[in-house]
Amino acid sequence: MHIDMDCFFAQVEERENPQFKGKPVVVGADPKGGKGRGVVSTANYQARKYGIHSAMPISKAYQLCPHAIFLPVQSKLYGEVSERIMQIIRVRFPVTEQVSLDEAYMDVTKLPVIVESGDETERWKEAERLARLLRQEIFTQERLTGTCGVGPNKIIAKIACEKAKPNGCLVVKPEGIEQFLEPLDIEEIPGIGSKTAEILKSYHIATVQDLKEVSKERLEKLFGVRGVQIYEKARGIDEDPVILEKEIKSVGKEYTFEHDTRDPQVLIETFNKLFGELLMETQEYHYCFSTIIVKCRFSGFETHTKSKTLVPAFRAPALLRREAMKLFLRFIAENPNPIRLIGIRVSLQ
Ligand code: TTP
Ligand code: MG
């Protein structure tokens, strides 16, 4: 089973501000009357009707719908709401894998109500009932809606959830996989991003049905190991287990400059400020650092990341800072273009 809250940040804002009801809401950077330079974190479904979506430049969102309500990101608030939701899920489903603030997979196969169900049909019915109960419980306690997908594995559950959004629930049983997947656009398959889709579409492969006509060997030639995964995904094959994980996997901070810049003082000061904020946030968790990721977006939205994993994981902030700075300096040395955004993220263990 997969659950994902609907337009999460925006929905929390709507709950906190009932006067926003029915209006388009965009959470993200300050649009500054159309001159703002950050991005959209998310938008509610009314705002999505105007074409606004996550990761779009905020200036574009403002162009599409200047009368929308634009709000800053309140990470602390969403984090607290997320924790309460995850707690509701874990009480019902001990085997839960949280994958982001608002999204989790649950393995329901070992739950007594499922194991003790008479036959296969009963088991699926029971799973659907559990999904309904969970959504209800979250709504009763938090006044927020989420969508559930139920399937024989993670990928089917996730796509089912995506298709049932918002405020829905969809069950896809093994015998329904083919019919469910074949009409989908290849980009609706998790793991097939816009770049992969572009390559496939240049060969006139647009739907999952088209994709299924391509041999495993050909996909492997085109995309290497990932090609084999794509071949399997097109058939709804996914052996990935639901694993219990720590709630917090990574913490990240980013900043978009008012003007693209190469000014060393501005760059270093911003880096230090971001690093300080990141460190503050990680101090709440008693974990070790492992992978450090630095992101730079250059003029023209060209975005790159560099990362380094240190084994064993460590706790020293000075080491974290040194490694992050090294990655950042490599960006500056390798790319002469002005910088639009910098980001630092660290995974916790
Ligand atoms: P998602 O679950 O991807 O999106 P969503 O909950 O806003 O909308 P949907 O109904 O389609 O699930 O992401 C959860 C939250 O993570 C989202 O509310 C805001 C944040 N987020 C960003 O800040 N930037 C991004 O690019 C994305 C995709 C999400
Ligand atoms: Mg969501």
Side-chain angles (χ1 to χ4, degrees), residues 4-8 45 48 100 102-103 165:
D4 188 309
M5 300 305 291
D6 305 321
C7 56
F8 184 49
Y45 282 76
R48 289 182 198 192
S100 75
D102 80 328
E103 182 184 351
K165 267 184 171 298

Side-chain angles (χ1 to χ4, degrees), residues 1-3 89-98 104-115 123-124 126-127 130-131 134 149-154 157 238-245:
M1 191 183 297
H2 182 255
I3 184 162
I89 300 174
R90 287 198 180 89
V91 169
R92 280 194 179 274
F93 304 99
V95 185
T96 290
E97 178 182 342
Q98 182 180 349
Y105 289 99
M106 293 80 78
D107 183 349
V108 305
T109 57
K110 311 280 183 324
L111 291 175
V113 280
I114 299 281
V115 175
R123 272 200 287 280
W124 282 95
E126 194 55 39
L130 290 174
L134 176 63
V150 185
N153 57 39
K154 278 168 128 176
D238 180 13
E239 306 280 322
D240 197 24
V242 175
I243 32 171
L244 282 161
E245 272 184 319

Side-chain angles (χ1 to χ4, degrees), residues 2-11 27-28 39-45 48 53-56 73 78 100-103 145-147 158 161-162 165-167 254:
H2 182 255
I3 184 162
D4 188 309
M5 300 305 291
D6 305 321
C7 56
F8 184 49
F9 293 4
Q11 209 193 155
V27 180
V39 292
V40 172
S41 286
T42 196
N44 69 357
Y45 282 76
R48 289 182 198 192
H53 58 76
S54 293
M56 167 184 277
V73 177
Y78 314 141
S100 75
L101 273 186
D102 80 328
E103 182 184 351
T145 66
T147 299
K158 174 152 176 105
C161 173
E162 214 46 62
K165 267 184 171 298
N167 197 13
E254 56 182 52

Side-chain angles (χ1 to χ4, degrees), residues 57-196:
I58 199 78
S59 54
K60 175 93 187 286
Y62 188 83
Q63 243 175 30
L64 291 170
C65 185
H67 66 278
I69 296 161
F70 288 88
L71 301 167
V73 177
Q74 300 196 67
S75 308
K76 189 161 170 280
L77 170 64
Y78 314 141
E80 286 162 4
V81 178
S82 161
E83 249 172 58
R84 291 200 297 270
I85 292 171
M86 292 300 156
Q87 202 45 42
I88 298 171
I89 300 174
R90 287 198 180 89
V91 169
R92 280 194 179 274
F93 304 99
V95 185
T96 290
E97 178 182 342
Q98 182 180 349
V99 282
S100 75
L101 273 186
D102 80 328
E103 182 184 351
Y105 289 99
M106 293 80 78
D107 183 349
V108 305
T109 57
K110 311 280 183 324
L111 291 175
V113 280
I114 299 281
V115 175
E116 288 156 17
S117 296
D119 57 11
E120 197 63 15
T121 315
E122 281 303 309
R123 272 200 287 280
W124 282 95
K125 261 198 200 141
E126 194 55 39
E128 186 169 6
R129 193 182 67 84
L130 290 174
R132 202 169 46 238
L133 275 178
L134 176 63
R135 292 194 333 106
Q136 232 165 41
E137 201 164 338
I138 293 173
F139 190 75
T140 308
Q141 293 192 31
E142 288 294 328
R143 295 278 139 199
L144 294 171
T145 66
T147 299
C148 275
V150 185
N153 57 39
K154 278 168 128 176
I155 194 161
I156 299 294
K158 174 152 176 105
I159 303 171
C161 173
E162 214 46 62
K163 288 308 253 187
K165 267 184 171 298
N167 197 13
C169 182
L170 181 63
V171 179
V172 177
K173 297 187 198 178
E175 62 271 24
I177 292 179
E178 245 186 62
Q179 208 188 1
F180 174 62
L181 289 184
E182 284 187 352
L184 298 184
D185 187 293
I186 48 172
E187 277 189 73
E188 293 185 83
I189 304 295
I192 301 189
S194 55
K195 282 181 192 156
T196 309

